[in-house]
Amino acid sequence: MKNYTGFDFVQLRGAIVSGSVEIPQAVAQALESPIDFPSIDRALVPGDRVAIAVHESLPQAALVVNSIIDWLVGQQALSDLALWVVLANGQESQAQAIRDWLEAKHPDSLLGDDPRIHVSCHDPDNQQNLEYIAASEQAEPIYLHRELVEADFVIPLYRWLEPQDPRRHDPFVVLPAFADRATMNRHAKAWLKPSESRTKRTQRHAESGWLAGIQFTIAALANQDGQIASLISGTPE
């Protein structure tokens, strides 16, 4: 390691593109014109519970979430939606930034015992907020954040990484970021196994996303400055 130059080789494998976008306009485009999926206002009905799952990899997360909320709230035909924003474990500062914005922009959405918009961070150790969705090959239970399981529609948000990037997560985003602690630990240990095991694990993640009913995702491509350069939406595959 004496020749180490300070560059993290993992950073070189992340997808990098040039340019930048205006986040509100890019979000509107992503919601209105997904790939292989209808405009989101056509995929929802009044009264639906919509969960926004925010992966820790997403740049400018608060601004993206705020823009999605603005777009959904602005759809007159969907005035009765309930929105659950679920951020990854340890993202309390991002959650508070979103709450502060809601208090200024949509204060009525936070009122009452059952507010229309609820913002929380995933806690992998809180069993009350977890729901069983599947079992591993070793018959070990896999639990997922309850709001993602019970939602009528889930909008996962994440940064797209190169397929060979060791930080890569499943295209449905939910595992292991929103799983129970034991599942998270199994995922971390699995990186020490041969590549064939990684292929099997990716397939299990896809199955888990399907069990959670996830049909749509929004992926961000970042530029050299770590800001969003493009947003791509559509079916997870």
Side-chain angles (χ1 to χ4, degrees), residues 89-119:
N89 185 42
Q91 300 295 303
E92 284 79 8
S93 60
Q94 292 280 11
Q96 189 56 52
I98 295 170
R99 292 190 196 101
D100 292 343
W101 175 82
L102 284 170
E103 289 179 359
K105 187 73 179 292
H106 302 287
D108 293 345
S109 66
L110 300 175
L111 300 178
D113 296 332
D114 186 20
R116 179 186 179 190
I117 302 177
H118 179 257
V119 182

Side-chain angles (χ1 to χ4, degrees), residues 97-143:
I98 295 170
R99 292 190 196 101
D100 292 343
W101 175 82
L102 284 170
E103 289 179 359
K105 187 73 179 292
H106 302 287
D108 293 345
S109 66
L110 300 175
L111 300 178
D113 296 332
D114 186 20
R116 179 186 179 190
I117 302 177
H118 179 257
V119 182
S120 65
C121 288
H122 174 60
D123 182 354
D125 302 308
N126 186 348
Q127 194 64 36
Q128 291 185 337
N129 287 336
L130 297 169
E131 187 165 325
Y132 174 85
I133 61 166
S136 69
E137 290 181 344
Q138 291 73 36
E140 298 160 314
I142 298 174
Y143 295 91

Side-chain angles (χ1 to χ4, degrees), residues 163-174:
Q164 300 305 316
D165 193 313
R167 302 167 299 170
R168 178 173 57 93
H169 40 73
D170 73 289
F172 294 86
V173 179
V174 295

Side-chain angles (χ1 to χ4, degrees), residues 47-215:
D48 270 354
R49 296 167 297 179
V50 178
I52 302 173
V54 189
H55 194 271
E56 61 185 355
S57 64
L58 181 70
Q60 300 175 275
L63 183 53
V64 174
V65 172
N66 296 348
S67 298
I68 291 175
I69 292 173
D70 259 346
W71 189 90
L72 291 171
V73 170
Q75 305 302 307
Q76 295 183 355
L78 302 175
S79 58
D80 199 26
L81 291 179
L83 303 179
W84 299 336
V85 179
V86 184
L87 293 101
N89 185 42
Q91 300 295 303
E92 284 79 8
S93 60
Q94 292 280 11
Q96 189 56 52
I98 295 170
R99 292 190 196 101
D100 292 343
W101 175 82
L102 284 170
E103 289 179 359
K105 187 73 179 292
H106 302 287
D108 293 345
S109 66
L110 300 175
L111 300 178
D113 296 332
D114 186 20
R116 179 186 179 190
I117 302 177
H118 179 257
V119 182
S120 65
C121 288
H122 174 60
D123 182 354
D125 302 308
N126 186 348
Q127 194 64 36
Q128 291 185 337
N129 287 336
L130 297 169
E131 187 165 325
Y132 174 85
I133 61 166
S136 69
E137 290 181 344
Q138 291 73 36
E140 298 160 314
I142 298 174
Y143 295 91
L144 191 65
H145 191 93
R146 185 178 300 276
E147 289 177 341
L148 303 185
V149 179
E150 295 181 350
D152 298 299
F153 192 81
V154 180
I155 302 177
L157 309 173
Y158 63 101
R159 178 182 173 182
W160 194 88
L161 300 171
E162 294 288 355
Q164 300 305 316
D165 193 313
R167 302 167 299 170
R168 178 173 57 93
H169 40 73
D170 73 289
F172 294 86
V173 179
V174 295
L175 291 179
F178 299 98
D180 59 288
R181 180 70 68 182
T183 299
M184 285 182 164
N185 290 340
R186 288 196 300 270
H187 175 87
K189 293 177 182 178
W191 282 113
L192 300 176
K193 296 180 180 180
S195 58
E196 182 179 354
S197 297
R198 297 178 187 177
T199 301
K200 291 181 179 179
R201 185 175 66 253
T202 300
Q203 180 61 34
R204 289 198 301 273
H205 286 176
E207 293 171 354
S208 298
W210 177 79
L211 288 171
I214 297 175
Q215 307 173 49

